[in-house]
Amino acid sequence: MPKRFVAIWFRHLITDWLIIRKPELLHQPFILAAPDHGRMMITAASAAAQAQGIFVGMVLADARAIVPALQVFNDKPGLAEQLLKALCKWCIRYTPVAATDLPDGLILDASGCAHLWGGEQPYLQEIITRLKAFGYHVRVAIADTIGTAWAVARYGRVTCIIKSGEQATALLPLPPAALRLEPDLLERLQKLGLYQVCSFINMPRSALRRRFGQALLGRMDQALGREEEVIDPLLPIPPYQERLPCLEPILTATGIEIALQRLLETLCSRLQQKGKGLRTAVLKAYRVDGKIEQVEIGTNRASHNTRHLFKLFENKIPTIEPALGIELFILEAPHVEDVSPQQETLWTGGCGLESITLAQLTDRLAGKTGAHSIRRYLPVQHYWPERSITPTASMLEKPATPWRTDHPRPMQLLREPEPVEVSAPIPDYPPMLFTYKGKLHYIKKADGPERIEREWWLEEGPHRDYYAVEDQDGRRYWLFRSGHYDVNKPHCWYIHGFFA
Amino acid sequence: MSATKKEIISQLQKELLLLQGFKPTLNAAVHAGLEPVEAAFPNAVFPTGAVHEFLSEAAEQAAATGGFIAGLLAPLMQQGRVCIWISAARTLFPPALAAFGVTPDQIIFVDLQRERDVLWAMEEALKCEGLAAVVGEMRDISFTASRRLQLAVEQSRVTGFILRHQPRDLNANACVARWRVTPLHSEPGDNMPGIGFPRWRITLLKVRNGKPGEWPLEWAQGRFNVITENIALQPPADVRKIG
């Protein structure tokens, strides 16, 4: 699922707040000012004041000269941050991951949230109307990246919903300021006549870096989704991590086991409450001498089963060297997934590929020998024997094509076909006898040939004519002749397998 | 009087079997056509939930053993049950199993580096209840190791097959049966050309509480057939039958 972010821009955050508190100020020119270098600077101006030519960053005395009836309020430092924090908390109703975006915005991680309001359009509408009812003028936008949502909320003219993957088209007509750039960088772009994102977004990256520095490229990548941007949510998501400090340094395997058991119990009960299971877990043991010992396990399927996870760790406990003692254990679950609660089996009919007991067994085997050693095979639509099956590590993958039984295939297949000495009566006829590993085999019965072409779009080479043969003792072999019969090339017969 | 004695003796024999780890299987797999071979086992039932041992010397024998085991696995792997095949040097070609009624993607192959790990993995797998079977390829197995496997299957009722290719010493072990499968001449029948259905000579070298024996067997049309005509007297065909 792609990530979706909502950017909310409060157009007149502080003045709106003041109007809410003092409704009589509505439609009146007023400003907030703060002392700066011995004079009063305007930090926020109401819409009515702005209409008369007063802007943020003006000196108060100049503004008074323009509008004598200007009302002035003192600006408290940190007011915007306080307001945004309160609004951010209020926005948690829309998503659990909400962050403030100073000086005048909020960022909501709306991935998987909008459908609860019936889609993105009603979701945004709801946010706008509720905030408007409070008295805040806002603009919102939703996009795949924070950068694009931010840009469209502030500078967008067409639509506030940017469809997944359409960041670039949405950004093209916007001014460079939409990329959240520093003022001096913006000035330089302006000087060079780059008034729109489209005029420089397709320039070579090396040229852009040389002229404008990495900052511009970083912001572009963030907006386009090439680089991940993290937000600092107001309510941090607690990581799945448990700590266990020890009063006395732990030296024995039994002690480590007890510690591990306790950590697993608390972690698993937490996971269970959230309906999650862990895919990887790391146990870190902080030793007295300052070194950190760590062991890691992985599971094929998300699990919060204490006993199973303990068994996986149990094999690795001997690798932990306590040395002078371990004083702190930390158990982390860096990779966590949702667990679908499985119905308990009503009867113990057996264990299919989906069963949990099998997943636990493969976890144990993979924990000792490595995950690459466990595989299943699925049929592929290739006649070439070496390519007719493909290994898969997944237990749930279903074969896309049925297994073929129309041509005989040997029970044992040699890794590489081995050359054999044959004598064949006439071309395109099975051989009369062949020598394999110094032993002579007289062929009594034979089937074939089954011609299998090498797939030219994969590799080049001669075709193979396969024969199933049975010798004087009833042993059955799979022989083939590589390529056409050729008088000049006598050694082109191979043995490739043994039939049951 | 003699009738009651016989009853008592058979009763006692059954109790002895129970003590020796022969639990009556509830849902025994039906191996069609294998009845004469099954008669060699106690209660005349192919023992599932036990460990069987297969010997092979040459690659041709290993292939024949693979075919016979595939035929045994097919009824065990009904209803999507999973088989685990553990090996350190596997040459088995999975598509061939399809001809013996086994769905090859229901088999999980565990390919290990060392033979020592095969034993460990096999024991772990045999402890896992609900599996259809576990096949392990290893050259040698000590008595203690086989005893551990036997104890594991008594708990879980999983059937285990040990394939011993070129065994170094044939010591006694706790496996329920020791088999050898050698390929036999196939017979296409009706003087048809080509190769017929696979035929093997099944030799039961050792059976716990049973009678060892030897049977010629054919796998045809999804079932075993014990061949009744005398194979030994049949002269090797002089004519090459080429199809």
Side-chain angles (χ1 to χ4, degrees):
Chain A
M1 189 179 64
K3 287 241 170 199
R4 297 293 278 171
F5 291 97
V6 173
I8 305 176
W9 178 38
F10 294 90
R11 300 174 62 182
H12 318 288
L13 176 69
I14 293 173
T15 52
D16 278 348
W17 169 77
L18 211 59
I19 290 169
I20 294 166
R21 299 194 64 195
K22 300 179 180 171
E24 69 272 12
L25 287 175
L26 191 64
H27 305 308
Q28 292 212 3
F30 68 92
I31 51 135
L32 281 92
D36 177 47
H37 292 93
R39 54 212 170 130
M40 293 295 275
M41 290 286 278
I42 294 172
T43 52
S46 70
Q50 278 181 10
Q52 299 193 29
I54 293 167
F55 54 88
V56 172
M58 224 178 183
V59 181
L60 176 61
D62 295 351
R64 277 242 171 87
I66 299 169
V67 186
L70 196 66
Q71 298 190 50
V72 181
F73 297 91
N74 274 333
D75 190 8
K76 280 178 281 176
L79 178 64
E81 196 178 345
Q82 267 179 19
L83 284 174
L84 282 177
K85 262 196 183 154
L87 284 163
C88 191
K89 235 177 219 168
W90 180 83
C91 277
I92 288 195
R93 68 195 58 208
Y94 297 116
T95 167
V97 187
T100 57
D101 174 30
L102 287 172
D104 53 3
L106 293 178
I107 302 285
L108 313 182
D109 183 350
S111 320
C113 294
H115 75 276
L116 299 170
W117 276 263
E120 289 181 345
Q121 179 75 41
Y123 182 68
L124 296 185
Q125 201 58 52
E126 158 92 11
I127 294 176
I128 294 173
T129 40
R130 294 290 292 270
L131 286 170
K132 206 165 196 175
F134 287 141
Y136 289 106
H137 294 86
V138 293
R139 283 180 56 120
V140 298
I142 186 164
D144 274 6
T145 59
I146 297 171
T148 306
W150 194 95
V152 174
R154 279 156 181 82
Y155 297 93
R157 303 233 173 277
V158 190
T159 171
C160 59
I161 296 175
I162 307 303
K163 289 208 185 70
S164 190
E166 290 182 8
Q167 294 94 298
T169 30
L171 284 174
L172 287 180
L174 302 183
L179 289 176
R180 297 179 285 175
L181 301 173
E182 299 294 321
D184 60 324
L185 197 58
L186 287 175
E187 209 170 284
R188 247 186 295 164
L189 287 166
Q190 184 83 14
K191 233 179 237 171
L192 292 166
L194 304 169
Y195 303 126
Q196 283 184 321
V197 175
C198 60
S199 46
F200 62 86
I201 201 164
N202 288 326
M203 283 185 188
R205 288 175 70 88
S206 54
L208 285 177
R209 186 183 294 116
R210 200 169 55 236
R211 271 190 176 272
F212 306 107
Q214 185 62 33
L216 174 67
L217 290 178
R219 284 303 193 186
M220 262 164 55
D221 287 348
Q222 282 179 346
L224 293 174
R226 289 188 208 134
E227 193 177 297
E228 192 137 343
E229 189 178 352
V230 283
I231 53 173
D232 189 12
L234 190 71
L235 296 181
I237 307 156
Y240 287 101
Q241 188 193 56
E242 294 292 331
R243 330 166 26 103
L244 184 73
C246 311
L247 276 178
E248 290 279 320
I250 289 199
L251 288 163
T252 59
T254 334
I256 298 173
E257 274 172 24
I258 294 168
L260 179 62
Q261 188 76 36
R262 274 201 205 159
L263 287 171
L264 275 175
E265 268 163 20
T266 43
L267 185 70
C268 287
S269 67
R270 257 182 73 195
L271 287 167
Q272 201 170 3
Q273 279 168 9
K274 297 267 163 160
K276 303 251 186 206
L278 60 84
R279 289 292 307 276
T280 54
V282 185
L283 176 71
K284 285 184 185 157
Y286 289 76
R287 288 190 344 201
V288 176
D289 58 1
K291 289 216 174 94
I292 304 170
E293 292 276 316
Q294 87 176 55
V295 288
E296 209 173 327
I297 56 151
T299 58
N300 278 318
R301 183 185 294 211
S303 161
H304 53 238
N305 185 338
T306 317
R307 265 185 52 209
H308 171 54
L309 295 174
F310 184 75
K311 264 201 165 164
L312 295 182
F313 268 120
E314 206 176 12
N315 295 330
K316 307 223 165 161
I317 284 179
T319 62
I320 299 176
E321 239 179 77
L324 290 171
I326 298 164
E327 50 184 3
L328 172 68
F329 288 97
I330 291 186
L331 181 66
E332 276 174 44
H335 190 179
V336 172
E337 273 180 13
D338 287 339
V339 171
S340 51
Q342 287 229 342
Q343 190 188 335
E344 295 289 320
T345 42
L346 291 176
W347 63 91
T348 49
C351 137
L353 286 166
E354 307 88 37
S355 77
I356 290 176
T357 46
L358 182 72
Q360 293 179 351
L361 172 70
T362 49
D363 284 348
R364 278 206 297 283
L365 295 177
K368 174 134 177 174
T369 63
H372 58 276
S373 62
I374 296 170
R375 53 175 87 97
R376 288 164 66 221
Y377 288 97
L378 296 179
V380 199
Q381 280 183 325
H382 289 290
Y383 281 100
W384 199 252
E386 287 92 333
R387 279 196 288 269
S388 64
I389 49 172
T390 176
T392 169
S394 147
M395 291 295 142
L396 303 175
E397 207 176 324
K398 296 263 179 298
T401 56
W403 290 95
R404 304 183 63 121
T405 51
D406 46 353
H407 294 293
R409 286 290 175 264
M411 191 53 80
Q412 308 268 339
L413 190 78
L414 294 170
R415 249 158 234 209
E416 285 283 318
E418 288 170 25
V420 286
E421 298 264 348
V422 306
S423 57
I426 46 171
D428 296 332
Y429 217 63
M432 288 201 298
L433 47 93
F434 70 94
T435 322
Y436 173 55
K437 286 191 176 165
K439 234 174 138 182
L440 195 60
H441 301 270
Y442 292 96
I443 292 170
K444 294 290 176 195
K445 302 186 185 101
D447 264 329
E450 179 193 348
R451 174 162 295 184
I452 303 182
E453 289 285 351
R454 207 184 279 266
E455 287 135 321
W456 54 263
W457 57 94
L458 295 174
E459 58 176 342
E460 289 200 357
H463 63 258
R464 292 173 178 176
D465 283 335
Y466 276 99
Y467 294 90
V469 301
E470 189 179 297
D471 75 353
Q472 74 274 18
D473 293 328
R475 295 173 290 205
R476 289 171 278 273
Y477 302 91
W478 210 29
L479 306 180
F480 71 85
R481 192 189 59 224
S482 182
H484 292 285
Y485 173 79
D486 194 345
V487 194
N488 306 320
K489 277 194 299 172
H491 297 295
C492 49
W493 281 86
Y494 296 88
I495 180 167
H496 202 188
F498 306 94
F499 282 101
Chain B
M1 193 61 192
S2 62
T4 51
K5 259 187 187 166
K6 249 183 200 165
E7 263 176 35
I8 289 167
I9 287 168
S10 68
Q11 191 65 36
L12 282 171
Q13 268 174 342
K14 266 183 192 164
E15 273 176 29
L16 268 175
L17 282 178
L18 266 177
L19 290 173
Q20 282 168 332
F22 267 93
K23 288 187 188 147
T25 40
L26 294 171
N27 43 0
V30 182
H31 290 108
L34 207 64
E35 291 83 7
V37 184
E38 285 177 352
F41 289 101
N43 299 337
V45 177
F46 179 81
T48 53
V51 182
H52 297 257
E53 184 188 12
F54 289 82
L55 306 181
S56 63
E57 286 298 333
E60 297 89 336
Q61 268 189 350
T65 313
F68 181 61
I69 286 180
L72 292 176
L73 281 178
L76 292 172
M77 284 171 64
Q78 293 298 316
Q79 295 148 11
R81 294 228 255 164
V82 174
C83 168
I84 297 194
W85 193 296
I86 305 159
S87 168
R90 186 172 52 84
T91 46
L92 184 91
F93 189 49
L97 298 170
F100 293 90
V102 173
T103 319
D105 54 90
Q106 268 173 323
I107 298 183
I108 296 168
F109 290 97
V110 181
D111 294 329
L112 304 172
Q113 299 291 326
R114 293 171 303 176
E115 204 156 272
R116 220 173 50 227
D117 291 338
V118 174
L119 198 62
W120 172 83
M122 187 157 184
E123 193 182 331
E124 283 291 311
L126 283 175
K127 279 180 192 161
C128 182
E129 281 176 42
L131 287 180
V134 180
V135 185
E137 294 182 28
M138 60 187 89
R139 195 160 175 188
D140 284 304
I141 182 166
S142 69
F143 180 78
T144 328
S146 67
R147 187 89 194 100
R148 285 178 69 97
L149 299 186
Q150 176 64 26
L151 288 174
V153 296
E154 276 176 23
Q155 275 291 322
S156 63
R157 315 300 298 149
V158 177
T159 316
F161 298 101
I162 299 175
L163 307 191
R164 295 181 63 184
H165 190 56
Q166 296 173 344
R168 270 173 290 224
D169 58 339
L170 293 173
N171 53 347
N173 58 32
C175 296
V176 74
R178 177 176 284 174
W179 305 73
R180 172 175 285 144
V181 186
T182 36
L184 276 184
H185 286 285
S186 65
E187 200 45 67
D190 301 335
N191 282 325
M192 291 284 280
I195 297 177
F197 293 115
R199 284 188 177 190
W200 314 295
R201 184 185 304 284
I202 310 294
T203 320
L204 255 178
L205 298 164
K206 267 186 188 174
V207 199
R208 199 141 38 97
N209 304 310
K211 293 185 214 66
E214 199 176 80
W215 301 267
L217 214 65
E218 184 181 65
W219 176 270
Q221 281 137 12
R223 55 168 291 160
F224 291 110
N225 293 313
V226 172
I227 307 157
T228 41
E229 72 236 50
N230 200 339
I231 301 289
L233 291 180
Q234 189 186 333
D238 294 334
V239 264
R240 271 158 47 89
K241 289 178 172 173
I242 306 298

